Amino acid sequence: MTFDPASYHFVDSGTPEEIRAASVLPARRENIELHTEDGLTLVGELALPEDDEIRATLVTLHPLPTHGGFMDSHLYRKASFRLPALAGIAVLRFNTRGTSSPRGTSEGRFEEGEGERFDVAAASQFALDRGLPHRWLLGWSFGTELALRYGAITPVAEQVEGAILLSPPLKRVADTDLDRWAASGKPLTALVPEFDDYLRPEEARARFARVPQTRVAGIQDGKHLWVGEKYVQRALNEISSTVLGEQVSLPSHWQGPMAKA
């Protein structure tokens, strides 16, 4: 059965409550479908600020589906739970081709990052068609490779303002992809955990030297999966600060209606 985001039950305790891993803050949430140029239907969810004042938009690209990555990978789920209410940021999540989650299964099959170029384009086009402002790609692990390979080529290049990379492994990324980003002039922010399994800050700075406009931020004591509220808060603060163009420190408590996932 497809998960319905309208099923969350919100309760207002009347006092400030700590925001925890399963806390869901108010937003306008809807199940969506994306349609790719090669004829597939992908499933996803869009979470918008309740007051319609959208300050920026995240088009999320999830980790490797063959290793458990999907639209509900925990950082993206928490971004959709929190950022519309706390920062006025819209969050678009979806399953790439052949990927399943409680929302459902996207058509097609995993294509090692090749056919997924159509998925990136479909998500970016959807955000554009909905009139969502200040669109940024947000990739995590495998999703960073999709962002780097396809975010600086037509049509996506004309539709997004830049990209944020969480734990970029750079395995499927060639120097030509980085050079294309450099030529685009679009900003990149790479958040690289100190103890990442694939790429650590010093090596990341060397690789991203090909893209002068990249900001590489080393995440002290961090690991590839960003487990723990300390690291979730750091990621969401960095993401919000980047897309809003100002320093953001999101609150750790919320007074008002809240649900639990």
Side-chain angles (χ1 to χ4, degrees):
M1 180 180 294
T2 299
F3 175 75
D4 180 2
S7 65
Y8 289 123
H9 178 61
F10 287 87
V11 176
D12 189 344
S13 69
T15 60
E17 292 190 66
E18 184 179 3
I19 299 171
R20 301 179 180 273
S23 299
V24 184
L25 305 186
R28 292 192 293 114
R29 298 181 170 88
E30 61 177 290
N31 286 334
I32 61 171
E33 291 185 347
L34 311 178
H35 301 285
T36 69
E37 187 179 340
D38 61 338
L40 300 181
T41 297
L42 314 178
V43 299
E45 182 197 284
L46 179 63
L48 303 173
E50 281 197 317
D51 61 7
D52 284 332
E53 293 185 15
I54 304 172
R55 302 178 66 196
T57 302
L58 298 174
V59 177
T60 64
L61 305 171
H62 61 68
L64 195 64
T66 55
H67 289 67
F70 61 155
M71 62 177 275
D72 282 342
S73 292
H74 79 97
L75 268 178
Y76 288 172
R77 199 163 180 245
K78 291 163 187 169
S80 75
F81 287 170
R82 304 179 193 183
L83 294 186
L86 296 181
I89 296 173
V91 180
L92 190 163
R93 298 181 294 140
F94 71 100
N95 289 325
T96 56
R97 55 189 58 207
T99 303
S100 298
S101 74
R103 165 66 182 91
T105 300
S106 290
E107 292 179 349
R109 58 178 178 81
F110 177 62
E111 295 188 34
E112 298 287 347
E114 299 298 327
E116 284 80 2
R117 69 185 183 276
F118 297 116
D119 305 353
V120 178
S124 177
Q125 186 66 48
F126 180 94
L128 177 67
D129 291 344
R130 287 289 296 262
L132 303 177
H134 304 299
R135 298 169 296 277
W136 286 70
L137 297 178
L138 173 61
W140 180 6
S141 193
F142 171 69
T144 68
E145 298 175 333
L146 298 183
L148 288 169
R149 293 178 66 184
Y150 307 124
I153 62 175
T154 299
V156 182
E158 292 77 31
Q159 298 171 345
V160 302
E161 296 189 6
I164 303 168
L165 314 174
L166 303 170
S167 303
L170 296 183
K171 285 187 174 183
R172 296 175 175 82
V173 175
D175 286 345
T176 53
D177 298 313
L178 298 177
D179 293 343
R180 192 178 295 113
W181 265 99
S184 78
K186 291 181 181 292
L188 282 178
T189 293
L191 306 180
V192 184
E194 181 181 7
F195 299 118
D196 196 279
D197 299 316
Y198 304 104
L199 186 77
R200 296 189 176 184
E202 184 176 355
E203 184 184 357
R205 291 187 181 96
R207 289 289 306 276
F208 281 111
R210 299 186 76 96
V211 190
Q213 69 269 30
T214 303
R215 180 176 73 90
V216 177
I219 306 301
Q220 184 177 3
D221 298 327
K223 296 183 180 180
H224 190 75
L225 297 180
W226 297 79
V227 174
E229 184 61 24
K230 170 184 175 181
Y231 300 105
V232 171
Q233 289 182 359
R234 175 70 188 275
L236 297 185
N237 282 338
E238 290 274 6
I239 291 165
S240 300
S241 297
T242 300
V243 301
L244 297 180
E246 61 187 42
Q247 192 63 39
V248 173
S249 181
L250 298 171
S252 60
H253 289 73
W254 172 262
Q255 183 164 352
M258 182 187 292
K260 293 190 183 301

